[in-house]
Amino acid sequence: MNLDELAVAALVRDDRAHLLHPQYYAPEHEAPVIFASGEGVWLTDVRGHRYIDALSSLWNVAVGHGRGELAEAAAAQMRMLAFANGYNGFSNVPAIELAAKVAALAYGNMAGVFFTNSGSESNEGAYKVARFYWNLQGRPQKVKLIARERSYHGGTLATTAMTGLPVFWQHFGPLLSEIVHTRRPENLECACAPNADGECAHWIEAAIEREGAESVAAVICEPVKGAGGVWTPSDTYFSQVREICDRYEVLLIADEVITGFGRTGRWFALERWSVQPDILTIAKAITSGYVPMGAFIVSTPIMDVLQQLPPDARFMHAYTNSAHPTAAAVGLRNLRILEEERLVERAQAMGDRLGAGLRAALGGHPHVANIRQLGLIAGLSLVADAERGTTYDPAQFVGREVARHLREKGGVITRFVGDQIVLAPPLVVSEAEVDTIVGALAAAVGAVTSGTGAHAH
Ligand SMILES: Cc1ncc(COP(=O)(O)O)c(C=O)c1O
């Protein structure tokens, strides 16, 4: 597609008049980039401009754009059986096969898969199933959920409350009071190696103590906090969190909506530290974004409770499109691509190249700090003075300007979170494309930050 300016102007006019976008702020849509097609890590807009998609669109297009195999899987399934409901004694073939496949790929203790249509629905369902489990265990007072600062868990009312980024709460309150966040305990003295954003497992322990373990159903954690700016954990963090949850009888929910299916160089991120959650939530890369799908997956003890309910109890949780046959068929084909092309191993190798490239190009830069990377997900902080540890005045919008320069001059698209720049290219990215991303980002950082230090605060 290569539209003339009149046709583009008509699209822009209708977009502005009628399309309400996620995280809507109208001025951002005055001159939108309107995408038309994609191939591998490349996106092309309606004017024919090409960009490297350095965030897999929204961390989801793991196998890259333009995969005919996935289009064919969807078309074949739609011809065979477009839809049939999975309620009250009904099922369908691809959903059964995908549930078995996901259960086999996930942590060894995982048993039951409930399919959703998004990460938000997965986390909402995980919280409901945690409450349901404790209720059935005769402990109905265990209703609270502990979430962490800088986490992102979704856009429904409950997952908005879980999200630890206050900008997502504004003008939506009051939020659910049973969902609380960790904060730095007063007078904390510990020998823990901190996570990249400074927290440690004692923050979770302190939150459970503060709320009272008898009232807490679960803790929810992203293994790597993604949308909050890509913050990686220390190597001991999740084994400590697991031990704390066990000690206080609190379920551990791993939100692997971003990290699931290879992003961190493992099928699921906590494998790296030999930790298993009680509930795992996924979405995004299960279908590489070609069609919407997500799931929450429960461990054997929770599955046992769900399968042996007393006659008067039923898990009354449902979505019309749960286990949609087309989404399941695409998911199965997508997982085959990940396996056949060994993309999980590739994520580790290309991620290490990305991390090494970022450290070499920007490690000593006066306006860059805290470069972090785990597999093929990376982030860095733009700062007023790396040596003195001072941050930029948010009103300078340095992150936004770097991302804009990167797109307009470097032809690379990614996101910024305040002054954090985040990267997560498709797992099919080549060595040369990784190097292009690093080079373009270094150029953008250099161009935007030269002369910005004077405004530090
Ligand atoms: C870690 C995490 N959890 C949950 C969600 C919500 O997923 P969705 O936007 O599919 O509802 C996201 C979305 O980016 C996410 O990054």
Side-chain angles (χ1 to χ4, degrees):
M1 188 184 291
N2 218 336
L3 299 183
D4 63 30
E5 285 308 313
L6 262 181
V8 175
L11 282 171
V12 171
R13 187 195 58 224
D14 287 349
D15 183 281
R16 290 175 60 189
H18 301 298
L19 190 51
L20 282 168
H21 292 265
Q23 303 187 356
Y24 191 53
Y25 183 62
E28 282 179 353
H29 296 279
E30 275 164 20
V33 177
I34 304 174
F35 296 111
S37 61
E39 188 67 38
V41 304
W42 294 91
L43 285 169
T44 305
D45 71 14
V46 287
R47 292 185 169 94
H49 298 149
R50 293 177 82 227
Y51 310 88
I52 291 188
D53 178 6
L55 202 74
S56 305
S57 283
L58 269 180
W59 328 84
N60 52 349
V61 188
V63 300
H65 300 273
R67 287 287 192 153
E69 308 96 300
L70 299 187
E72 278 149 26
Q77 182 56 46
M78 284 179 184
R79 278 193 206 99
M80 179 90 83
L81 173 68
F83 181 76
N85 89 64
Y87 292 48
N88 312 114
F90 297 125
S91 196
N92 73 71
V93 177
I96 297 168
E97 290 176 355
L98 186 61
K101 183 72 192 168
V102 168
L105 286 173
Y107 302 98
N109 64 333
M110 292 288 128
V113 182
F114 187 103
F115 287 112
T116 68
N117 306 287
S118 68
S120 302
E121 288 179 6
S122 302
N123 288 329
E124 182 101 16
Y127 183 27
K128 281 179 77 177
V129 85
R131 283 180 165 211
F132 189 85
Y133 168 80
W134 288 119
N135 211 290
L136 269 282
Q137 297 290 92
R139 302 176 73 179
Q141 70 283 8
K142 280 175 91 64
V143 293
K144 290 183 185 166
L145 181 74
I146 292 172
R148 300 185 301 163
E149 287 183 338
R150 273 182 283 274
S151 60
Y152 183 76
H153 297 296
T156 62
L157 200 52
T159 56
T160 295
M162 293 176 203
T163 291
L165 298 159
V167 66
F168 287 94
W169 308 334
Q170 276 171 25
H171 313 297
F172 293 123
L175 298 174
L176 280 73
S177 58
E178 293 93 0
I179 297 176
V180 298
H181 288 95
T182 54
R183 53 175 185 260
R184 188 186 171 77
E186 273 167 37
N187 308 320
L188 175 66
E189 274 180 37
C190 70
C192 295
N195 296 347
D197 62 348
E199 74 180 320
C200 79
H202 289 105
W203 295 34
I204 286 184
E205 184 166 21
I208 296 174
E209 290 273 353
R210 185 181 75 214
E211 301 300 324
E214 69 290 345
S215 72
V216 179
V219 167
I220 185 164
C221 300
E222 291 171 85
V224 176
K225 291 174 187 171
V230 176
W231 302 100
T232 47
S234 78
D235 277 335
T236 51
Y237 179 77
F238 276 105
S239 41
Q240 286 175 284
V241 170
R242 180 69 271 180
E243 184 277 319
I244 290 165
C245 288
D246 289 343
R247 184 150 41 87
Y248 288 97
E249 295 187 291
V250 167
L251 299 176
L252 175 58
I253 303 171
D255 174 351
E256 301 222 29
V257 167
I258 286 179
T259 57
F261 302 103
R263 173 59 57 192
T264 67
R266 300 284 190 279
W267 276 98
F268 294 92
L270 301 183
E271 283 168 22
R272 187 178 291 271
W273 305 287
S274 305
V275 172
Q276 296 183 337
D278 301 295
I279 306 172
L280 166 64
T281 63
I282 55 170
K284 297 193 188 279
I286 187 173
T287 52
S288 283
Y290 279 68
V291 287
M293 181 171 242
F296 62 85
I297 307 157
V298 298
S299 65
T300 303
I302 300 172
M303 185 66 166
D304 288 346
V305 166
L306 291 174
Q307 289 188 323
Q308 291 155 32
L309 292 176
D312 63 333
R314 182 187 269 269
F315 183 58
M316 287 297 280
H317 182 69
Y319 305 110
T320 298
N321 289 319
S322 179
H324 194 289
T326 303
V330 172
L332 277 168
R333 190 68 189 90
N334 175 63
L335 296 185
R336 243 178 75 199
I337 294 175
L338 285 170
E339 284 181 324
E340 287 172 2
E341 299 182 12
R342 305 183 69 81
L343 294 181
V344 182
E345 291 91 327
R346 188 175 181 84
Q348 184 67 56
M350 291 303 111
D352 288 343
R353 187 178 182 95
L354 178 65
L358 291 174
R359 284 186 290 275
L362 290 164
H365 194 283
H367 298 294
V368 173
N370 209 354
I371 296 174
R372 52 267 174 194
Q373 167 255 330
L374 191 74
L376 205 42
I377 180 168
L380 56 78
S381 307
L382 299 164
V383 292
D385 187 329
E387 219 163 86
R388 293 204 316 232
T390 50
T391 55
Y392 280 116
D393 180 342
Q396 286 180 270
F397 296 106
V398 176
R400 186 185 70 190
E401 291 312 308
V402 167
R404 188 211 304 270
H405 191 287
L406 184 60
R407 169 164 61 84
E408 290 177 356
K409 302 276 190 286
V412 172
I413 290 189
T414 195
R415 288 177 71 79
F416 63 94
V417 185
D419 287 341
Q420 316 304 318
I421 298 291
V422 299
L423 297 167
L427 310 191
V428 292
V429 70
S430 70
E431 294 183 356
E433 289 158 348
V434 166
D435 298 347
T436 302
I437 293 169
V438 170
L441 180 57
V445 170
V448 173
T449 62
S450 54
T452 52
H455 305 284
H457 81 154

